[in-house]
Amino acid sequence: MSADRTQVIERLRSHGITPTQQRVEIAQVLFARHQHLSADQVLTQVNARDASVSKATVYNTLGLFAEKGLLREVIVDPAKVFYDSNLDPHHHLFHMDSGTLEDIPVSQVNVDRLPDLPAGMAVEGVDVIIRVRRSGAPTVYP
Amino acid sequence: MSADRTQVIERLRSHGITPTQQRVEIAQVLFARHQHLSADQVLTQVNARDASVSKATVYNTLGLFAEKGLLREVIVDPAKVFYDSNLDPHHHLFHMDSGTLEDIPVSQVNVDRLPDLPAGMAVEGVDVIIRVRRSGAPTVYP
DNA sequence: TTGGGTGCAAACTATTTGCATTCGA
DNA sequence: TCGAATGCAAATAGTTTGCACCCAA
């Protein structure tokens, strides 16, 4: 369930990131597969393996990875940021009941190109988020 | 710059909300025009007028208004929630430099209908957010 | 009157920061 | 070696909550 150590190190290097022990630990968890994790979940999973990484380092590292383009930040829940290890262009389905995210292939939602932006503005990203919940009970996840 | 008191009261009533003094104060600020305000900005503007409303009441009231369909919550900034008094369907442009929001008419961004959802799931909302920043300097707003 | 609404302050949670220590190249 | 990275704990900021008091109906 964890990505190959050597591959991960190479990947960090190729993005200009010094592969320290804890960064590699974190990367192995994140890049094991496509997933959406909060900083807290990353902290838990990383420390469940073996190594001990501090909370501050997890936050710093996630921020760094996102900045360097290794992760995509997904902002759907006012309570916390999700980090998405799937870098292919795609959209998101947010399950309000469980507070979990699901990917939607771009092929399934077509966004006809953007409006003309004010001059001197560059698009940093386009997020499409579909919020769903179980139809019957309007439960709020705890 | 503030909506008519009587109209506001009527609007609250029609949504099943008891029009108390502070709720009316808050509503007058919000519904004066289409805008995107954070809880903190609402607090400041309300108390700049005259009345004194507590921070807790502002949060409670904004949450209530959103729940009753008088406001739309916009989640774009991990730091805070924006409340949008424009209820017409529309999308958002987020200026990362200034941390401000701008509306985009639906006519300018076409989302070809949604993917088939898991059974028993209802769509609560679809958010399209275009993040832009000044092209030259990758400044982060303070 | 009387239960919902409000204010205040304290509690919480996610995230950031300062600084001394440790580690990668 | 030496600057970058880490850990820890304390600081922040937005938001929520508990509880006594107050007001709309």
Side-chain angles (χ1 to χ4, degrees), chain B residues 91-115:
Chain B
H91 304 308
H92 290 110
L93 195 68
F94 182 58
H95 293 270
M96 303 175 76
D97 300 302
S98 60
T100 56
L101 275 173
E102 195 178 325
D103 284 351
I104 300 175
V106 277
S107 61
Q108 289 196 38
V109 177
N110 180 45
V111 178
D112 279 350
R113 274 301 162 227
L114 316 177

mmCIF file of all heavy atoms in Angstrom, chain B residues 91-115:
data_model
loop_
_atom_site.group_PDB
_atom_site.id
_atom_site.type_symbol
_atom_site.label_atom_id
_atom_site.label_comp_id
_atom_site.label_asym_id
_atom_site.label_seq_id
_atom_site.Cartn_x
_atom_site.Cartn_y
_atom_site.Cartn_z
ATOM 1 N N HIS B 91 -21.623 31.343 -11.259
ATOM 2 C CA HIS B 91 -20.353 30.761 -10.843
ATOM 3 C C HIS B 91 -19.466 31.846 -10.247
ATOM 4 O O HIS B 91 -19.883 32.990 -10.131
ATOM 5 C CB HIS B 91 -19.689 30.084 -12.040
ATOM 6 C CG HIS B 91 -20.572 29.064 -12.680
ATOM 7 N ND1 HIS B 91 -21.171 28.051 -11.961
ATOM 8 C CD2 HIS B 91 -21.000 28.916 -13.953
ATOM 9 C CE1 HIS B 91 -21.910 27.318 -12.766
ATOM 10 N NE2 HIS B 91 -21.832 27.822 -13.986
ATOM 11 N N HIS B 92 -18.250 31.456 -9.891
ATOM 12 C CA HIS B 92 -17.386 32.428 -9.220
ATOM 13 C C HIS B 92 -15.975 32.502 -9.766
ATOM 14 O O HIS B 92 -15.382 31.500 -10.150
ATOM 15 C CB HIS B 92 -17.332 32.127 -7.718
ATOM 16 C CG HIS B 92 -18.604 32.419 -7.019
ATOM 17 N ND1 HIS B 92 -19.430 31.443 -6.517
ATOM 18 C CD2 HIS B 92 -19.229 33.600 -6.773
ATOM 19 C CE1 HIS B 92 -20.494 32.010 -5.983
ATOM 20 N NE2 HIS B 92 -20.401 33.304 -6.119
ATOM 21 N N LEU B 93 -15.479 33.715 -9.739
ATOM 22 C CA LEU B 93 -14.093 33.987 -10.076
ATOM 23 C C LEU B 93 -13.450 34.407 -8.766
ATOM 24 O O LEU B 93 -13.938 35.317 -8.091
ATOM 25 C CB LEU B 93 -14.065 35.155 -11.078
ATOM 26 C CG LEU B 93 -12.792 35.415 -11.854
ATOM 27 C CD1 LEU B 93 -12.541 34.267 -12.829
ATOM 28 C CD2 LEU B 93 -12.944 36.711 -12.641
ATOM 29 N N PHE B 94 -12.382 33.727 -8.408
ATOM 30 C CA PHE B 94 -11.721 34.051 -7.147
ATOM 31 C C PHE B 94 -10.382 34.704 -7.431
ATOM 32 O O PHE B 94 -9.509 34.101 -8.060
ATOM 33 C CB PHE B 94 -11.525 32.778 -6.318
ATOM 34 C CG PHE B 94 -10.889 33.026 -4.978
ATOM 35 C CD1 PHE B 94 -11.476 33.880 -4.062
ATOM 36 C CD2 PHE B 94 -9.700 32.396 -4.626
ATOM 37 C CE1 PHE B 94 -10.899 34.108 -2.816
ATOM 38 C CE2 PHE B 94 -9.107 32.606 -3.384
ATOM 39 C CZ PHE B 94 -9.713 33.463 -2.480
ATOM 40 N N HIS B 95 -10.239 35.928 -6.970
ATOM 41 C CA HIS B 95 -8.977 36.653 -7.154
ATOM 42 C C HIS B 95 -8.036 36.269 -6.024
ATOM 43 O O HIS B 95 -8.199 36.731 -4.890
ATOM 44 C CB HIS B 95 -9.224 38.157 -7.157
ATOM 45 C CG HIS B 95 -10.006 38.634 -8.339
ATOM 46 N ND1 HIS B 95 -9.424 39.041 -9.511
ATOM 47 C CD2 HIS B 95 -11.347 38.731 -8.548
ATOM 48 C CE1 HIS B 95 -10.354 39.387 -10.386
ATOM 49 N NE2 HIS B 95 -11.538 39.202 -9.826
ATOM 50 N N MET B 96 -7.067 35.443 -6.341
ATOM 51 C CA MET B 96 -6.169 34.944 -5.308
ATOM 52 C C MET B 96 -5.290 36.055 -4.729
ATOM 53 O O MET B 96 -4.853 35.966 -3.589
ATOM 54 C CB MET B 96 -5.297 33.827 -5.892
ATOM 55 C CG MET B 96 -6.150 32.692 -6.461
ATOM 56 S SD MET B 96 -5.178 31.434 -7.296
ATOM 57 C CE MET B 96 -4.480 30.549 -5.891
ATOM 58 N N ASP B 97 -5.053 37.077 -5.524
ATOM 59 C CA ASP B 97 -4.226 38.181 -5.035
ATOM 60 C C ASP B 97 -4.904 38.958 -3.920
ATOM 61 O O ASP B 97 -4.286 39.284 -2.923
ATOM 62 C CB ASP B 97 -3.904 39.150 -6.181
ATOM 63 C CG ASP B 97 -3.148 38.457 -7.310
ATOM 64 O OD1 ASP B 97 -2.076 37.908 -7.026
ATOM 65 O OD2 ASP B 97 -3.639 38.458 -8.439
ATOM 66 N N SER B 98 -6.182 39.232 -4.134
ATOM 67 C CA SER B 98 -6.878 40.084 -3.176
ATOM 68 C C SER B 98 -7.790 39.299 -2.247
ATOM 69 O O SER B 98 -8.289 39.829 -1.262
ATOM 70 C CB SER B 98 -7.723 41.116 -3.922
ATOM 71 O OG SER B 98 -8.676 40.442 -4.739
ATOM 72 N N GLY B 99 -8.015 38.031 -2.571
ATOM 73 C CA GLY B 99 -8.912 37.238 -1.739
ATOM 74 C C GLY B 99 -10.365 37.638 -1.910
ATOM 75 O O GLY B 99 -11.172 37.439 -1.007
ATOM 76 N N THR B 100 -10.693 38.194 -3.074
ATOM 77 C CA THR B 100 -12.069 38.612 -3.311
ATOM 78 C C THR B 100 -12.739 37.746 -4.366
ATOM 79 O O THR B 100 -12.082 37.105 -5.165
ATOM 80 C CB THR B 100 -12.134 40.080 -3.767
ATOM 81 O OG1 THR B 100 -11.309 40.230 -4.922
ATOM 82 C CG2 THR B 100 -11.651 41.005 -2.669
ATOM 83 N N LEU B 101 -14.060 37.787 -4.348
ATOM 84 C CA LEU B 101 -14.863 36.987 -5.263
ATOM 85 C C LEU B 101 -15.590 37.866 -6.262
ATOM 86 O O LEU B 101 -15.918 39.014 -5.969
ATOM 87 C CB LEU B 101 -15.916 36.207 -4.479
ATOM 88 C CG LEU B 101 -15.521 34.870 -3.880
ATOM 89 C CD1 LEU B 101 -16.651 34.354 -3.020
ATOM 90 C CD2 LEU B 101 -15.206 33.885 -4.996
ATOM 91 N N GLU B 102 -15.867 37.290 -7.415
ATOM 92 C CA GLU B 102 -16.620 37.990 -8.436
ATOM 93 C C GLU B 102 -17.594 36.993 -9.047
ATOM 94 O O GLU B 102 -17.253 35.826 -9.209
ATOM 95 C CB GLU B 102 -15.629 38.469 -9.497
ATOM 96 C CG GLU B 102 -16.140 39.494 -10.457
ATOM 97 C CD GLU B 102 -15.009 39.909 -11.431
ATOM 98 O OE1 GLU B 102 -13.840 39.960 -10.999
ATOM 99 O OE2 GLU B 102 -15.325 40.137 -12.606
ATOM 100 N N ASP B 103 -18.784 37.439 -9.371
ATOM 101 C CA ASP B 103 -19.754 36.526 -9.965
ATOM 102 C C ASP B 103 -19.507 36.342 -11.450
ATOM 103 O O ASP B 103 -19.072 37.263 -12.135
ATOM 104 C CB ASP B 103 -21.179 37.062 -9.773
ATOM 105 C CG ASP B 103 -21.662 36.862 -8.346
ATOM 106 O OD1 ASP B 103 -20.970 36.172 -7.582
ATOM 107 O OD2 ASP B 103 -22.725 37.412 -8.012
ATOM 108 N N ILE B 104 -19.808 35.164 -11.934
ATOM 109 C CA ILE B 104 -19.773 34.887 -13.360
ATOM 110 C C ILE B 104 -21.153 34.383 -13.756
ATOM 111 O O ILE B 104 -21.632 33.408 -13.185
ATOM 112 C CB ILE B 104 -18.761 33.785 -13.708
ATOM 113 C CG1 ILE B 104 -17.359 34.193 -13.279
ATOM 114 C CG2 ILE B 104 -18.798 33.474 -15.188
ATOM 115 C CD1 ILE B 104 -16.348 33.086 -13.494
ATOM 116 N N PRO B 105 -21.787 35.040 -14.692
ATOM 117 C CA PRO B 105 -23.119 34.594 -15.124
ATOM 118 C C PRO B 105 -23.030 33.169 -15.673
ATOM 119 O O PRO B 105 -22.023 32.810 -16.278
ATOM 120 C CB PRO B 105 -23.473 35.561 -16.253
ATOM 121 C CG PRO B 105 -22.526 36.704 -16.120
ATOM 122 C CD PRO B 105 -21.304 36.191 -15.428
ATOM 123 N N VAL B 106 -24.050 32.380 -15.459
ATOM 124 C CA VAL B 106 -24.050 31.015 -15.968
ATOM 125 C C VAL B 106 -23.878 30.987 -17.473
ATOM 126 O O VAL B 106 -23.339 30.030 -18.024
ATOM 127 C CB VAL B 106 -25.358 30.258 -15.626
ATOM 128 C CG1 VAL B 106 -25.290 29.699 -14.231
ATOM 129 C CG2 VAL B 106 -26.560 31.135 -15.825
ATOM 130 N N SER B 107 -24.331 32.053 -18.109
ATOM 131 C CA SER B 107 -24.252 32.078 -19.562
ATOM 132 C C SER B 107 -22.808 32.041 -20.062
ATOM 133 O O SER B 107 -22.550 31.635 -21.185
ATOM 134 C CB SER B 107 -24.932 33.343 -20.094
ATOM 135 O OG SER B 107 -24.269 34.482 -19.586
ATOM 136 N N GLN B 108 -21.876 32.417 -19.214
ATOM 137 C CA GLN B 108 -20.479 32.474 -19.664
ATOM 138 C C GLN B 108 -19.692 31.190 -19.455
ATOM 139 O O GLN B 108 -18.589 31.043 -19.961
ATOM 140 C CB GLN B 108 -19.748 33.623 -18.973
ATOM 141 C CG GLN B 108 -20.195 34.979 -19.471
ATOM 142 C CD GLN B 108 -19.217 36.064 -19.067
ATOM 143 O OE1 GLN B 108 -18.015 35.870 -19.070
ATOM 144 N NE2 GLN B 108 -19.752 37.209 -18.677
ATOM 145 N N VAL B 109 -20.219 30.315 -18.624
ATOM 146 C CA VAL B 109 -19.553 29.035 -18.422
ATOM 147 C C VAL B 109 -20.613 27.962 -18.497
ATOM 148 O O VAL B 109 -21.513 27.922 -17.661
ATOM 149 C CB VAL B 109 -18.871 28.955 -17.041
ATOM 150 C CG1 VAL B 109 -18.269 27.579 -16.854
ATOM 151 C CG2 VAL B 109 -17.814 30.015 -16.910
ATOM 152 N N ASN B 110 -20.491 27.128 -19.487
ATOM 153 C CA ASN B 110 -21.522 26.120 -19.635
ATOM 154 C C ASN B 110 -21.043 24.775 -19.112
ATOM 155 O O ASN B 110 -20.030 24.245 -19.539
ATOM 156 C CB ASN B 110 -21.915 25.990 -21.108
ATOM 157 C CG ASN B 110 -22.988 24.950 -21.271
ATOM 158 O OD1 ASN B 110 -23.956 24.931 -20.505
ATOM 159 N ND2 ASN B 110 -22.809 24.081 -22.240
ATOM 160 N N VAL B 111 -21.772 24.244 -18.152
ATOM 161 C CA VAL B 111 -21.436 22.926 -17.629
ATOM 162 C C VAL B 111 -22.433 21.926 -18.190
ATOM 163 O O VAL B 111 -23.600 21.950 -17.834
ATOM 164 C CB VAL B 111 -21.496 22.895 -16.096
ATOM 165 C CG1 VAL B 111 -21.193 21.504 -15.596
ATOM 166 C CG2 VAL B 111 -20.518 23.897 -15.512
ATOM 167 N N ASP B 112 -21.953 21.074 -19.062
ATOM 168 C CA ASP B 112 -22.825 20.058 -19.633
ATOM 169 C C ASP B 112 -23.180 19.062 -18.560
ATOM 170 O O ASP B 112 -22.306 18.511 -17.908
ATOM 171 C CB ASP B 112 -22.131 19.343 -20.795
ATOM 172 C CG ASP B 112 -22.230 20.155 -22.067
ATOM 173 O OD1 ASP B 112 -22.988 21.136 -22.070
ATOM 174 O OD2 ASP B 112 -21.537 19.803 -23.036
ATOM 175 N N ARG B 113 -24.420 18.829 -18.423
ATOM 176 C CA ARG B 113 -24.937 18.121 -17.265
ATOM 177 C C ARG B 113 -24.146 16.977 -16.702
ATOM 178 O O ARG B 113 -23.402 16.275 -17.354
ATOM 179 C CB ARG B 113 -26.396 17.706 -17.475
ATOM 180 C CG ARG B 113 -27.339 18.842 -17.074
ATOM 181 C CD ARG B 113 -27.181 19.271 -15.603
ATOM 182 N NE ARG B 113 -27.776 20.589 -15.429
ATOM 183 C CZ ARG B 113 -27.185 21.603 -14.796
ATOM 184 N NH1 ARG B 113 -26.007 21.443 -14.272
ATOM 185 N NH2 ARG B 113 -27.778 22.742 -14.693
ATOM 186 N N LEU B 114 -24.397 16.863 -15.451
ATOM 187 C CA LEU B 114 -23.686 16.014 -14.510
ATOM 188 C C LEU B 114 -23.626 14.544 -14.856
ATOM 189 O O LEU B 114 -24.450 14.047 -15.614
ATOM 190 C CB LEU B 114 -24.415 16.188 -13.174
ATOM 191 C CG LEU B 114 -24.740 17.651 -12.919
ATOM 192 C CD1 LEU B 114 -25.528 17.797 -11.643
ATOM 193 C CD2 LEU B 114 -23.466 18.443 -12.866
ATOM 194 N N PRO B 115 -22.670 13.883 -14.284
ATOM 195 C CA PRO B 115 -22.548 12.434 -14.464
ATOM 196 C C PRO B 115 -23.688 11.743 -13.725
ATOM 197 O O PRO B 115 -24.333 12.347 -12.873
ATOM 198 C CB PRO B 115 -21.226 12.120 -13.794
ATOM 199 C CG PRO B 115 -21.053 13.190 -12.768
ATOM 200 C CD PRO B 115 -21.661 14.416 -13.374
#
